[in-house]
Amino acid sequence: MMKTFELTCSVCDKIFPGDGLRLRCPDCGEGLDTPIITEGKIRASDKPGQRVLERYADFFPYLDLSDDPGLGEGMTPLIRDDVLAAEVGVAAVYLKNETVNPTWSFKDRGTATGIVQAKNLGYKKVGTASTGNMAVSVAAFAGRAGMKALVLVSDKIAEEKLNPIAVHGPTLVKIKGDYSKMYDTALEIGGKLGIAFINSDATMRVAGYKTMAYEICEQCDFDVPDYVIVPNSAGGQFRGIFKGFLDFYRCGLIEKLPVMVAAQASGCSPVAAAFEKGENRVSRFENPSTIAGAITNPLPPSGNGVLRILREYGGLAVTESDESMLASQKRLAERGLFVQPESALTLAVLKKLVAKGQIKAGSKVVCVLSGGGLKFTAALGMQQLKAHSCRLEEAVEFISEVF
Amino acid sequence: MMKTFELTCSVCDKIFPGDGLRLRCPDCGEGLDTPIITEGKIRASDKPGQRVLERYADFFPYLDLSDDPGLGEGMTPLIRDDVLAAEVGVAAVYLKNETVNPTWSFKDRGTATGIVQAKNLGYKKVGTASTGNMAVSVAAFAGRAGMKALVLVSDKIAEEKLNPIAVHGPTLVKIKGDYSKMYDTALEIGGKLGIAFINSDATMRVAGYKTMAYEICEQCDFDVPDYVIVPNSAGGQFRGIFKGFLDFYRCGLIEKLPVMVAAQASGCSPVAAAFEKGENRVSRFENPSTIAGAITNPLPPSGNGVLRILREYGGLAVTESDESMLASQKRLAERGLFVQPESALTLAVLKKLVAKGQIKAGSKVVCVLSGGGLKFTAALGMQQLKAHSCRLEEAVEFISEVF
């Protein structure tokens, strides 16, 4: 087991030894990347339910995978939807359904690798500052791994969000005060109390998201899709997926890289704003206002890292409105998958890009559906949902009229 | 494609030609089984996300699988939990995590096969009478398959349950009146309006649940577990899983059958009551009262079929209290999996059987976790969940005390 290895700053490229839980570049403060992978073999099994980290072990040479919590994360379906493709006007739409992870969001992939590294390093405690998918994921995986978990939430959190975290048994602390300072406070707490914080763009969390790209490559028979659209909040998911494609490209497993698209809500789009202005650094997005709470991050910690990838590899950053997001949520549910509004944003953005001619008709596109719809049922109140009513005795007649 | 084939009554054994959507035996009114399978080969792929019906196509010779909706159902992990095994006092506990199906419950397996058969037979419309997991599942899969869906619910349904069904876009009808008569009314509606009803123990739905057993066999390297504990409501899931093991046994793929355990809530346990009294027919359970709404079926339509399996193959029917169920829900969440109380019942029943000496220390046991905890968050209100509070400035000091 390697306790330290060469980390590369995602923005300034400085390389220095460190472990994957050290959060930021000591020089420029940006997120760090795990070592570059240039060779590896997929250890494919034909048994149902293979562990994702077992399958891609070659691509995580810096982890001792005997500490794999193994809660069944990853290995999610890539669902081709020809009806949506025809509607949108592209050759193929693939839906990467991350809502079937053990805590029903993509976060589980990064939590798993974060937990492995924390155990490798001898930590007994992990932590996170989050009110959503990540809080649940860290609490669940810590339980599985036999570690103690600390979850720091804002005291403004709704009760309905609190209980699904609490049930996993973490130490749950509601923080009164300026929650935007929580990130730094968490680092201070972690350092003083020996807690490994696995936050949104922690190096080893980001590394875990690479597996999503590995799977997409395999599921497309290594004929890489033209575009991959990712909901963008802190930027960790985006960075991880892209780096996954890059791994397989460097290893000679795929012949090209997809165009990466960072999808943001119009009401909170710091990355898209900087991208449109031709800037290389994100600025704080003032007065954010969107229903997409899971991707409301006015100053995303990996924003600059995402921008750099967009510049160097020819990606896009695109916004869409809450209305379009909700319409896409409804449409995806009609096609069988009930996802968070944030996930539906990827389909909304795809439609916009096709309408603007930026994605051509012959394209093959992956939309990443990051989290399940039951995570945030309040959004359903914004849908125009209806139900009929009738008496049992009149049911046959009534239904023959309405159905 | 075979439009009709030999169906066997699950209780009286009469064989007659029919299709898998014909609901009951014309003689005794019981549920029907699909044709016996005596040979078949697993078509294993080593690609992530293989379709479950593609893998086990040989075991569904009566279906034309070109109509497979393919929403990524099945192929769920079997998670070994050695901590729980030690706590309970058995050699191995395996958790079959059905909460990672596309609509987050086991129902999707049976909905998929039901939809295939309905499409095979030329139906354009499907229906179901359900207020829970099955309603969501049928609405979602019908959407995927491009079919119209009719969902009949009681007008007493809570709004929070209604919206996650409605979002998939079915024709949703709240029925005023005696909902217990809904089953018969649904059949009448189906016959008159050409709607294929895929209800709880419909033949082709039950057939879909077989795939869970197939996967368990593979995941245990064909060394079949000693016990398989299944939450029991209508009885369709229990029948399907058992018949799946029977298929593999008859095909020579496994050398023994597991002991099947039907788990019921103490507050609604018609099958367990009949089993204990040595009866061969279930009676209506009067005044049911349990938090386990998903398995509250006072007169389960496949109750007699389940009893027959228990008698002939040496199974068990066991009850546990709501309190034990909630305690097991909490414990499973602490081990990483947040499931419905009904699913946690399987662990509660396992503990009870070990305490009573009915399951021995050397046993290997599978608990089937049928559905995800977010389906019924009201149950969380019954857990003793707690959160601390502190001010940001005091966070380091406070957390060093409590964590």
Side-chain angles (χ1 to χ4, degrees), chain A residues 315-332:
Chain A
L316 297 165
V318 186
T319 64
E320 254 298 2
S321 65
D322 286 7
E323 291 67 28
S324 299
M325 214 183 297
L326 286 169
S328 290
Q329 184 192 37
K330 185 76 177 69
R331 189 65 193 122
L332 282 165

Side-chain angles (χ1 to χ4, degrees), chain A residues 23 51 71 128 159 174 232 269 279 372 393 401:
Chain A
L23 286 175
R51 289 185 180 197
L71 201 52
T128 197
E159 196 72 16
K174 294 194 268 191
N232 196 77
S269 53
E279 290 167 3
E393 298 73 26
E401 285 168 21

Side-chain angles (χ1 to χ4, degrees), chain A residues 46-48 55 80 99-100 104 143-144 168 172 174 176 219 221 330 333-335 338 388 390 392, chain B residues 46-48 55 80 99-100 104 143-144 167-168 172 174 176 219 221 333-335 388 390 392:
Chain A
D46 66 3
K47 207 166 140 178
R55 187 178 190 90
R80 183 175 171 137
T99 80
V100 294
W104 313 301
R144 169 74 180 171
H168 291 291
L172 184 54
K174 294 194 268 191
K176 294 175 210 170
Q219 290 167 325
D221 293 319
K330 185 76 177 69
E334 287 166 358
R335 296 294 308 146
F338 174 36
H388 303 279
C390 78
L392 184 70
Chain B
D46 66 3
K47 206 166 140 179
R55 187 178 189 90
R80 183 175 172 138
T99 81
V100 294
W104 312 302
R144 169 73 179 170
V167 73
H168 291 291
L172 184 54
K174 294 194 268 191
K176 293 176 210 168
Q219 290 167 325
D221 293 318
E334 287 167 359
R335 297 293 308 145
H388 303 278
C390 80
L392 184 70

Side-chain angles (χ1 to χ4, degrees), chain B residues 132-346:
Chain B
N133 289 330
M134 191 162 59
V136 170
S137 182
V138 169
F141 277 76
R144 169 73 179 170
M147 303 178 89
K148 291 181 74 178
L150 174 69
V151 177
L152 305 173
V153 301
S154 163
D155 70 335
K156 295 181 186 68
I157 188 173
E159 196 72 16
E160 65 160 340
K161 283 193 166 186
L162 202 60
N163 281 341
I165 305 170
V167 73
H168 291 291
T171 297
L172 184 54
V173 183
K174 294 194 268 191
I175 303 289
K176 293 176 210 168
D178 185 356
Y179 192 70
S180 72
K181 293 182 183 156
M182 201 57 248
Y183 194 101
D184 291 334
T185 305
L187 294 192
E188 188 190 342
I189 293 168
K192 285 193 183 164
L193 303 178
I195 305 163
F197 267 83
I198 313 173
N199 280 336
S200 54
D201 72 340
T203 302
M204 205 51 71
R205 170 175 289 287
V206 172
Y209 300 147
K210 290 181 173 189
T211 57
M212 212 193 301
Y214 301 161
E215 291 170 19
I216 292 170
C217 290
E218 286 204 73
Q219 290 167 325
C220 290
D221 293 318
F222 301 98
D223 180 15
V224 174
D226 302 301
Y227 296 87
V228 176
I229 308 180
V230 183
N232 196 77
S233 182
Q237 182 178 206
F238 185 97
R239 278 177 54 210
I241 295 174
F242 175 73
K243 294 287 177 179
F245 284 113
L246 206 53
D247 284 347
F248 270 27
Y249 183 74
R250 284 171 172 150
C251 291
L253 291 167
I254 55 174
E255 289 176 4
K256 67 164 189 175
L257 292 169
V259 174
M260 297 290 295
V261 181
Q264 296 208 293
S266 307
C268 185
S269 54
V271 173
F275 182 76
E276 282 161 26
K277 288 182 201 154
E279 290 167 2
N280 285 323
R281 300 190 69 81
V282 293
S283 303
R284 180 179 288 276
F285 192 92
E286 300 297 338
N287 307 314
S289 172
T290 168
I291 56 159
I295 54 170
T296 301
N297 198 323
L299 189 60
S302 275
N304 298 336
V306 171
L307 273 178
R308 187 185 177 198
I309 292 168
L310 297 177
R311 301 282 178 225
E312 291 194 8
Y313 295 92
L316 297 165
V318 186
T319 65
E320 253 297 6
S321 66
D322 286 5
E323 291 69 26
S324 299
M325 213 183 298
L326 285 169
S328 290
Q329 183 192 37
K330 185 76 176 71
R331 190 66 192 121
L332 282 165
E334 287 167 359
R335 297 293 308 145
L337 298 175
F338 173 36
V339 301
Q340 286 186 293
E342 296 80 1
S343 302
L345 174 64
T346 58

